[in-house]
Amino acid sequence: MMKMNEELRVVAAGYSCIDLYDKLDKFYPTGNGVDWGVHLSRLGVAVSVVSAVGSDAYGESMRKMLEQEGIDVTHLRVEEGDTCLQKMDLIDGVDRVHLEAIEGVMAQYELTKEDKAYIKTFPYVHTDLFGNVLKDLREFREAGVKVVLDYSIYSDDPEYNCDENFRNTDYVFLSYTEEDEYIREHLKRIKGLGPEIVTATLGENGSISYDGEQFHRYGIQPANVVNTVGAGDAYIAGFTYGIMQGWTIHDCQKMGAKISAGAISKFEPY
């Protein structure tokens, strides 16, 4: 395992779950921040996960996987009940489909005062829309923590109070399909609310980032596609690594594409 660089420290806060493929008799521990953290840990970054699992075998598998990846689980709470499950299926053996979400202990999850104090000791925090952390973003930024937010396909969904969240985020990532006038204007509008960089991953069409002055584009790296699950999380991990290293946006995108290509070349998302 790669030696951790304690100067490069990140924390993934909020949502975690088990992806369960009943038809394939397979499962793996995951979550946007979990996948992101695993990739960064493999790059030598010191990673912590702040979340909750149930007191069941799935929760134990999450803890064991994270520990095996060298990730700090001191703030991964074990609560009485079931670990959150996402029942999954695959179309044509490649594209994932969410069949049913069973929230388990994540249904009532929120950060404790101790969790928030811990997160404030890190230079970067990653979260998404489903870990009940959005209300804490302003507090983290005011403490000097850089916020990495994965908006997935919901960046124009009013349910998630988007504008307020964008104002309290440094690096916004979202998913779309292609570069067109809509996405260019959408990225510009989000950037105007305060983030440093806004990036849309475009699947097979690569990615596009906007820094307030110009658009930056990058394609994909060839891969033997086994499972598209986790491609976005992997890209965000690579991009984040570049940000931490002070790289150009182009090189951040290139690293994101590289890590993403590796992720989709295997069944697991990392």
Side-chain angles (χ1 to χ4, degrees):
M1 183 177 295
M2 185 177 291
K3 183 178 180 181
M4 296 296 104
N5 184 342
E6 292 299 330
E7 294 182 358
L8 299 179
R9 301 174 62 246
V10 299
V11 57
Y15 185 75
S16 65
C17 69
I18 298 293
D19 275 6
L20 176 63
Y21 294 79
D22 276 328
K23 293 180 181 178
L24 303 178
D25 195 26
K26 290 185 178 182
F27 75 89
Y28 51 75
T30 186
N32 302 57
V34 169
D35 299 351
W36 175 84
V38 169
H39 291 298
L40 284 171
S41 182
R42 291 177 179 178
L43 290 170
V45 176
V47 178
S48 295
V49 167
V50 178
S51 187
V53 294
S55 54
D56 54 9
Y58 288 130
E60 182 61 24
S61 72
M62 174 73 76
R63 177 174 290 272
K64 285 184 177 179
M65 183 278 289
L66 293 173
E67 289 178 335
Q68 288 171 356
E69 293 289 343
I71 294 175
D72 188 315
V73 295
T74 55
H75 284 71
L76 178 66
R77 299 202 302 264
V78 178
E79 299 182 351
E80 190 64 31
D82 298 324
T83 300
C84 178
L85 289 179
Q86 287 282 347
K87 291 191 175 182
M88 307 286 291
D89 200 358
L90 291 176
I91 296 178
D92 298 328
V94 176
D95 293 319
R96 64 174 177 168
V97 178
H98 291 84
L99 300 178
E100 180 185 5
I102 302 173
E103 292 185 284
V105 298
M106 287 302 301
Q108 305 299 323
Y109 178 77
E110 62 179 38
L111 299 176
T112 66
K113 183 183 298 185
E114 292 75 17
D115 289 334
K116 287 189 269 190
Y118 179 66
I119 290 169
K120 290 176 185 177
T121 67
F122 289 82
Y124 296 88
V125 60
H126 172 290
T127 194
D128 55 44
L129 303 181
F130 308 110
N132 198 24
V133 178
L134 298 178
K135 65 182 182 299
D136 304 307
L137 299 185
R138 176 181 294 181
E139 184 176 343
F140 296 146
R141 281 192 90 199
E142 289 176 348
V145 184
K146 297 284 190 179
V147 175
V148 178
L149 182 57
D150 179 2
Y151 246 97
S152 186
I153 61 174
Y154 304 102
S155 62
D156 56 2
D157 189 334
E159 178 180 351
Y160 298 103
N161 191 19
C162 293
D163 286 2
E164 182 64 20
N165 296 330
F166 294 142
R167 290 187 184 99
N168 294 304
T169 302
D170 295 278
Y171 304 103
V172 173
F173 294 88
L174 56 100
S175 299
Y176 193 57
T177 55
E178 61 182 345
E179 181 181 345
D180 56 19
E181 185 64 20
Y182 164 78
I183 199 62
R184 287 190 293 268
E185 291 304 311
H186 192 45
L187 296 183
K188 285 182 178 180
R189 191 188 77 81
I190 295 172
K191 176 65 179 75
L193 293 169
E196 293 184 33
I197 303 171
V198 186
T199 299
T201 55
L202 307 173
E204 64 182 6
N205 294 307
S207 61
I208 180 171
S209 299
Y210 184 63
D211 63 3
E213 295 184 359
Q214 62 178 311
F215 289 102
H216 304 261
R217 301 168 177 87
Y218 193 84
I220 62 172
Q221 296 200 9
N224 177 30
V225 180
V226 174
N227 188 358
T228 55
V229 65
D233 301 330
Y235 178 95
I236 297 172
F239 197 107
T240 304
Y241 184 78
I243 290 294
M244 298 175 72
Q245 300 286 354
W247 293 354
T248 65
I249 292 177
H250 172 83
D251 287 341
C252 290
Q253 292 174 310
K254 181 178 180 180
M255 187 63 164
K258 176 182 177 181
I259 302 301
S260 182
I264 64 177
S265 299
K266 61 186 76 171
F267 181 79
E268 298 79 6
Y270 39 72

